[in-house]
Amino acid sequence: MSDKNKANVERKSADGGEGPPVSGQWSQHDYTHPAAGWGAANAVMRFIARENEWIQGPKAILKMNHEDGGFDCPGCAWPDALKGLKLDICENGIKHVTWEMTGKRVDRHFFAAHTVSELSTWTDFALEDQGRLTEPLVYDSASDHYVPISWQDAFNLIGEHLRALDSPNEAAFYTSGRLGNEASFLYQLMAREYGTNNLPDCSNMCHRASGSALEAALGTGKGTAALEDWERADALFIMGVNAASNAPRMLTALTNAYQRGAQIVHVNPLVEAGARKAIIPHEFIDMALMRATPTSTLNLQIRPGGDMALMRGIAKAVLEEAERNPKALDLDFIERYTTGFDEYRALCAATSWSELVEQSGLPEADIRKAAEIYSHADRTLISWCLGVTQHEHGVDTIREIVNVLLLRGNLGREGAGPSPVRGHSNVQGNRTCGIDHQPTAEFLDQLAKVCGITPPRAHGLDTVAAIEAMHQGALKVFMGMGGNFAQAAPDSVYTAAGLRKCELTVYVSTKLNRSHLEHGKAALILPCIARTEKDQQQSGVQGISVEDAMSMVHLSQGMRPPASPHLLSEPAIIAGMARATLPNSTTPWEEYIDDYDRIRDTMAKTLPGFEDFNRRVRQPLGFRIRQPARELVFLTPSERAEFSAAALPNVLPADDDVLVLQTLRSHDQWNTTIYSDNDRYRGIKNLRTLVLMNIEDMQARGIQEGTLVDIEATSKDGTRRRLSAYRALRYNLPRGSVAGYMPEMNALIGIADYSQQSNQPLMKHVKVRITPTAATTD
């Protein structure tokens, strides 16, 4: 097997993982406690104690997600609460902020003491745990150390490399979801003035399927539901979402829904803690009485990838009911606002119940029960996350979700609609503000008119294509604005090798991470201020704006001094790079940085929905970007909402010994940032190198609980990848499915393993074989 295709990662050990030093052995137990509640409160206190942030930690809690001058949580994209809630926070948000506010520093003395080769042997936890970066750094190949460099010299180095390229398309400008709207707009403006649409971003790996499906069906790339709709729905379907860990503030909406009598259906191969019951920490009486509220009325343990079959089954049952009771459908809505209904109805009739049962992995009775909940609810909202999008047929599945909503007119009215759960805090805002490798002609026309540039028209590279271009020698400069690209991307070994082929890699970061060690021939680390810190510019302290998962845009302003006087804001870093790269540019980069209101004035002229930006963003809770489909205005070719008639895919592996692996996060983790080796909600302690398995699948393979196994994946292109000596743990999963943590499991996902519909890596549908590790001493 070639180095390209070998994915054993030597720094992984059977019981090590990406966490702090552990004092005990790994353990596993069934977690039966409510989500959030005292478990979350105790975890927060332990985390604050570990980071020694007894003063700043509580201060941050009181300023996070507030409409009156606070800062936006740098974690998930769940909307801020409606007026009246003063503690709109969660365990993971507090961890994220405390991790960011650490008093530890990674300065020049640290880098003088450690070579890059040595640091490459450290765990991901150990790297980030060293603390905040303090000054710009450049890689010195002679000594294998990062050494200090001035900001101006760093900008000049970037400018020299970019100007020396044969084509602007030999550079790529990657974006993580943490980047604010103003910086996102400047970043894409720089890239396009330079001459490329190579703007890959993290949504290429997460919700690209959602945007593509909603755009095709409704003429908008976003969900239409608002937080108010979650509070008014009669039925909520939560698909492929681990709410308690990935969007913990959703638990408030779920407990409120249960208390008002709404039906809540969770669809997930794993019955997660947030799909059972919760105690909301700001409900002080419930906390005092330890009184939990259910967060579901039905849990459906779907086969991985079986969501489309479930939705088709719900539609089929509703259409069968409509033959007896025409009111089961909203025929007036269908006639006035949709197209393609007759074809879809015929497709549902032609799909057998036996096929739906086989592909969903659910009994027919369970599918009909879900359909009954749907048909009896006046207002239904359907939400989904990566458990739906990261499959080969993710686009078709989301279009099937829209089909089901259209049948009963669950669009354009209160308490109804599609509602994708976005991950990082501003990943949706990135795309709104122009981070898109396939921009529309209308956007480019307006950008040219307002900003006086000539933007390129050819589509650029997405994440997967950028990695391939590195290997082909077609991509020579890679710039990462936030994030940890080397760990977040698929095919870890192949991605790292591609980065090392680059002439220059540049990362804008707050902490040291794996990507800084998988660097190009020349490399820069540019440290920036964090979301919690004051952004002082010539005109005063600046605020940035972010867009949440439901299209609300609001200001965020840091509360504490920067971790180092040598840090710059992300907009200032972008402006510095732009001026060094484009010395003759007429764009007022310096004026933009002096006062971010000037950036917002330009954005208001360029971006639909951002009119009067500076005034509206300063309103309490900000403003919501208009969604035409919410008003039953459909910007589709037919000017109607369009039913899809896609064939039902076969999601079953061809061979009986093949299992379907889905990657997931632990509870003590945020994206690629790992806080410890524990996963409280799954009852796991001191272990990350593991695979969760159905007990019958274990027995069929002669695997004992807790023993070591090897995991081998075969990619679409026939290449194989292997992880060795992972620990097999029994877990409540459907037969034929297994699960394990990212980023460790990303090594099993080949660069060819992406959806033909969305180009998203198939991180929830990895076909693997698992066998006992030979000759282990355990």
Side-chain angles (χ1 to χ4, degrees), residues 181-493:
N181 287 330
E182 292 76 13
S184 296
F185 184 80
L186 291 187
Y187 196 45
Q188 64 83 30
L189 178 60
M190 171 193 167
R192 292 189 166 110
E193 185 171 352
Y194 173 63
T196 185
N197 283 315
N198 287 347
L199 286 156
D201 71 323
C202 58
S203 73
N204 294 157
M205 298 180 277
C206 300
H207 268 287
R208 177 73 188 281
S210 297
S212 297
L214 293 172
E215 186 74 39
L218 304 176
T220 175
K222 304 176 183 181
T224 65
L227 188 57
E228 295 94 325
D229 297 312
W230 282 73
E231 299 295 340
R232 293 167 184 161
D234 301 313
L236 293 165
F237 283 73
I238 316 297
M239 303 180 66
V241 182
N242 178 8
S245 295
N246 299 348
R249 288 185 291 155
M250 184 197 293
L251 296 175
T252 301
L254 297 181
T255 55
N256 288 346
Y258 185 88
Q259 289 168 346
R260 69 172 182 269
Q263 295 292 305
I264 309 166
V265 180
H266 287 265
V267 180
N268 199 325
L270 292 80
V271 180
E272 304 280 18
R276 295 191 292 263
K277 57 186 176 181
I279 301 175
I280 306 304
H282 60 252
E283 298 291 346
F284 300 127
I285 294 177
D286 288 347
M287 286 287 282
L289 298 176
M290 292 188 287
R291 182 174 60 198
T293 301
T295 51
S296 68
T297 55
L298 179 64
N299 273 290
L300 299 176
Q301 285 187 265
I302 200 96
R303 183 193 305 280
D307 308 84
M308 185 174 175
L310 170 62
M311 287 292 106
R312 180 72 54 83
I314 290 174
K316 183 177 179 70
V318 170
L319 289 165
E320 288 176 352
E321 182 183 350
E323 294 176 4
R324 303 182 296 273
N325 174 22
K327 292 184 178 179
L329 299 175
D330 189 335
L331 293 172
D332 181 63
F333 177 91
I334 292 170
E335 176 65 26
R336 293 178 62 188
Y337 296 111
T338 77
T339 185
F341 170 67
D342 290 339
E343 184 180 1
Y344 180 65
R345 177 169 55 185
L347 181 66
C348 290
T351 307
S352 69
W353 277 106
S354 60
E355 182 181 6
L356 295 170
V357 167
E358 181 181 42
Q359 293 300 322
S360 69
L362 297 171
E364 181 179 337
D366 284 355
I367 301 175
R368 289 189 178 278
K369 187 173 183 179
E372 182 180 4
I373 289 172
Y374 176 66
S375 63
H376 289 183
D378 180 53
R379 295 169 292 189
T380 297
L381 183 150
I382 303 181
S383 180
W384 67 90
C385 198
L386 306 190
V388 169
T389 65
Q390 290 180 328
H391 290 274
E392 177 65 58
H393 54 281
V395 172
D396 286 344
T397 298
I398 296 161
R399 293 208 62 182
E400 196 76 22
I401 289 171
V402 175
N403 287 347
V404 170
L405 290 169
L406 295 179
L407 289 177
R408 290 182 48 77
N410 279 300
L411 193 69
R413 56 194 180 96
E414 290 184 345
S419 187
V421 178
R422 303 283 184 172
H424 220 146
S425 63
N426 197 45
V427 64
Q428 185 161 298
N430 294 165
R431 185 56 57 94
T432 301
C433 295
I435 303 296
D436 190 349
H437 66 286
Q438 294 180 330
T440 65
E442 292 79 10
F443 170 78
L444 294 177
D445 289 344
Q446 191 66 12
L447 186 69
K449 176 181 177 182
V450 173
C451 297
I453 68 169
T454 304
R457 299 289 166 155
H459 286 171
L461 302 175
D462 64 7
T463 295
V464 171
I467 296 168
E468 289 283 39
M470 293 175 193
H471 279 273
Q472 295 161 2
L475 188 64
K476 298 177 180 178
V477 174
F478 180 83
M479 192 171 299
M481 188 62 63
N484 186 357
F485 184 80
Q487 289 293 77
D491 206 339
S492 309
V493 172

Side-chain angles (χ1 to χ4, degrees), residues 133-166:
L133 295 160
T134 61
E135 61 184 325
L137 299 157
V138 63
Y139 178 66
D140 176 48
S141 59
S143 66
D144 193 32
H145 286 269
Y146 274 103
V147 297
I149 186 174
S150 72
W151 277 107
Q152 192 56 56
D153 285 346
F155 293 149
N156 290 342
L157 181 63
I158 294 167
E160 290 167 7
H161 273 271
L162 289 176
R163 292 197 306 275
L165 296 178
D166 293 334

Side-chain angles (χ1 to χ4, degrees), residues 14-15 70 100-101 143 190 215 222 245 292 303-304 313 328 378 425 429 472 493 499 565 595 644 655 666 726 732 771:
D15 293 328
E100 188 176 88
M101 295 193 309
S143 66
M190 171 193 167
E215 186 74 39
K222 304 176 183 181
S245 295
R303 183 193 305 280
D378 180 53
S425 63
Q472 295 161 2
V493 172
L499 290 166
D595 186 346
S644 169
D655 299 322
S666 76
Y726 272 52
N732 179 14
T771 56

Side-chain angles (χ1 to χ4, degrees), residues 577-631:
M577 294 189 299
R579 181 56 70 198
T581 303
L582 305 164
N584 299 320
S585 170
T586 59
T587 299
W589 300 106
E590 293 80 9
E591 288 81 359
Y592 280 155
I593 304 312
D594 289 345
D595 186 346
Y596 294 177
D597 278 357
R598 295 168 182 162
I599 308 174
R600 286 187 281 269
D601 283 340
T602 301
M603 295 169 71
K605 299 173 185 176
T606 309
L607 304 175
F610 280 72
E611 298 81 6
D612 200 12
F613 189 6
N614 271 309
R615 181 189 65 81
R616 294 165 67 209
V617 79
R618 287 177 166 87
Q619 298 174 144
L621 298 177
F623 66 94
R624 192 166 196 271
I625 300 172
R626 176 176 175 259
Q627 292 296 322
R630 184 179 173 87
E631 302 165 14

